[in-house]
Amino acid sequence: MIEIPYNVEAREETGLYNAKLGVWIFLASEIMLFGGLFSAYILLRVGSPVWPPNGADLSIPLATLNTFNLILSSWTIVKSWIALKENDFSGFKKFMLITLLCSLVFMVIKYIEYTSKFSHGIFPSTDNFYGIYFTLTGLHGLHVIGGLILNFYLWGPGAKMWKTEPERFTNRVEVAGLYWHFVDLVWIFLFPVLYLLN
């Protein structure tokens, strides 16, 4: 069996192990994706004499609760990684479970927001504001779902690696945390731009 180097120890050239280097490259591409969409938002807003065109009916209290959920989940995923660094597997399980629950609450609230809009006849085709709103929040929601799946795997079946390769498992949780912080950071920009500055 061929062993791939730098799964645990850092590469000399970069100071990063393979997975951490890979996730930073992936996150750079994600920044470009969301950067393009934020640029589209700016162009639509600057080019519109009235913004939002037909008035916006977004729930600031629900979005604020979602912001709190994601900030809390960022803290708990760090705590889960710290627990592994301190050889506390049960602490990892507890904090990762809280991260998962916060993520689920976020998605439930987005579901409530979306169904409310759809029931009132508001769709992405309604106007430019709702087009960019659904695009940005929908893409962000897909990233939350991706993080949920990854974190659930690490919390559940993937946690078996802790018994055989604890340092490599800890690295996986760290990389998942980097991705999750990116998802949270995108929301920190989405919240004021879409909900507060209209």
Side-chain angles (χ1 to χ4, degrees):
M1 184 171 143
I2 300 172
E3 186 168 320
I4 299 171
Y6 309 114
N7 278 324
V8 174
E9 70 278 354
R11 300 180 72 90
E12 296 85 11
E13 315 87 52
T14 62
L16 304 170
Y17 53 89
N18 286 343
K20 199 170 188 179
L21 178 61
V23 81
W24 279 117
I25 293 169
F26 170 71
L27 292 179
S29 71
E30 292 292 288
I31 289 167
M32 288 186 276
L33 171 63
F34 277 99
L37 289 171
F38 275 109
S39 298
Y41 169 84
I42 291 167
L43 289 172
L44 289 170
R45 183 170 184 152
V46 169
S48 177
V50 177
W51 191 261
N54 300 312
D57 183 28
L58 302 180
S59 174
I60 293 174
L62 286 179
T64 303
L65 180 58
N66 261 349
T67 303
F68 172 77
N69 275 327
L70 286 186
I71 291 171
L72 176 61
S73 71
S74 255
W75 179 75
T76 56
I77 203 164
V78 169
K79 292 292 284 180
S80 70
W81 174 71
I82 290 170
L84 291 176
K85 295 295 265 184
E86 295 173 345
N87 210 24
D88 177 13
F89 187 71
S90 64
F92 157 75
K93 293 286 273 188
K94 175 182 73 175
F95 284 113
M96 187 58 88
L97 179 61
I98 295 169
T99 302
L100 290 168
L101 292 174
C102 288
S103 310
L104 284 171
V105 168
F106 180 90
M107 290 309 297
V108 167
I109 290 173
K110 287 314 294 176
Y111 174 79
I112 292 168
E113 277 190 272
Y114 275 27
T115 54
S116 170
K117 297 282 167 284
F118 297 154
S119 68
H120 289 94
I122 298 171
F123 300 98
S125 59
T126 300
D127 58 35
N128 283 338
F129 173 78
Y130 282 112
I132 198 72
Y133 163 80
F134 281 112
T135 301
L136 282 166
T137 59
L139 184 61
H140 178 263
L142 289 174
H143 282 73
V144 172
I145 291 169
L148 255 167
I149 292 167
L150 172 63
N151 291 335
F152 178 75
Y153 173 77
L154 292 171
W155 179 78
K160 288 184 274 188
M161 182 184 273
W162 174 254
K163 294 177 183 172
T164 56
E165 297 179 88
E167 195 170 350
R168 189 171 176 197
F169 179 72
T170 302
N171 288 352
R172 286 185 172 187
V173 172
E174 181 183 19
V175 168
L178 289 173
Y179 171 79
W180 194 247
H181 292 320
F182 170 78
V183 170
D184 294 351
L185 188 61
V186 168
W187 181 257
I188 295 300
F189 282 96
L190 287 176
F191 174 57
V193 165
L194 295 175
Y195 291 85
L196 302 179
L197 297 177
N198 288 317

